[in-house]
Each structure stands twice: as structure tokens, then as C-alpha cells.
Amino acid sequence: MFDLKAFSEGVSQLGSVLSTVKSVIGMFPVRQKEQASKELLQIEEKLQIAEAQIAKGLGYELCKCTWPPQIMLHAGDVDYGERFRCPACGRVVSPDDMPPRDNRQTI
Ligand SMILES: [Zn+2]
């Protein structure tokens, strides 16, 4: 069985490994530094995409103001659900703005 939580933890651990690698790359000679930074950026983007996919799988809302997409975080409760805010553009969505989910009762 696919363990989403373990996968999610693995991705965030990879993220911290990546920041360690970044500080090491800072000590590289210029030419290698450029190449390594470029590759690192691509890995970072893939990680962010994986993270966004996990977030979506866990029921988070995604904001498409950037690529890879931003994961919207809890921004307070309303009578009929939760509001979410995008950390990048500050957009807030309430349950009214979201498409109905399979597990949500629609009238
Ligand atoms: Zn946004």
C-alpha cells in the first residue's frame, strides 16, 4: 500500500538535505557552481511539484499563482468549513469558492 504520510516525510527530509547541499555548493569553483546550482534548481522544482501533489492528496487546496503551485494553508474557520490562504500571493478561498468534493454533501 502506498504510504502517503511516509512519502510526504521523505520529501520534506529531501528538502532539508537540499539546503545542506546548497551551502556546500557555495564553496565550489565558479563553473561547477553554476552547473550544480542549475541542477539543484531542477531538483527543487520537482520536489515542490511532488509536495504539491502530496498536499492535494491530503486534501489541501493549491493556488496556481506560481509554478510549481503553492500549497494553501489554513487561515481560519467559517460556519460551513475552513478558509485557506496562499503564502505567496495572499489569496484566500472559503468553501464557497471551492469545487465540491466527493466526500462533501452536495444539495
Ligand atoms: Zn497564490
Side-chain angles (χ1 to χ4, degrees):
M1 202 190 93
F2 179 67
D3 189 342
L4 192 65
K5 194 173 171 286
F7 183 64
S8 164
E9 278 167 11
V11 167
S12 55
Q13 275 166 6
L14 263 178
S16 46
V17 169
L18 220 59
S19 33
T20 311
V21 172
K22 250 188 208 162
S23 55
V24 176
I25 285 177
M27 294 180 270
F28 281 14
V30 176
R31 195 182 295 172
Q32 276 124 311
K33 203 197 290 186
E34 276 175 15
Q35 180 63 23
S37 305
K38 221 171 81 185
E39 282 167 15
L40 209 63
L41 270 179
Q42 288 169 351
I43 297 170
E44 252 186 334
E45 190 185 277
K46 282 178 191 150
L47 262 181
Q48 281 168 359
I49 294 166
E51 246 176 2
Q53 278 171 339
I54 294 163
K56 192 76 189 168
L58 291 172
Y60 282 79
E61 300 300 323
L62 298 181
C63 184
K64 300 178 187 77
C65 63
T66 59
W67 178 258
Q70 295 290 325
I71 300 161
M72 302 186 88
L73 302 173
H74 180 81
D77 292 304
V78 284
D79 294 344
Y80 41 88
E82 271 181 282
R83 291 162 71 224
F84 298 93
R85 184 190 311 264
C86 168
C89 70
R91 189 168 74 94
V92 175
V93 293
S94 57
D96 286 340
D97 307 321
M98 297 176 211
R101 294 233 180 85
D102 295 340
N103 60 359
R104 189 183 293 164
Q105 291 278 320
T106 44
I107 306 156

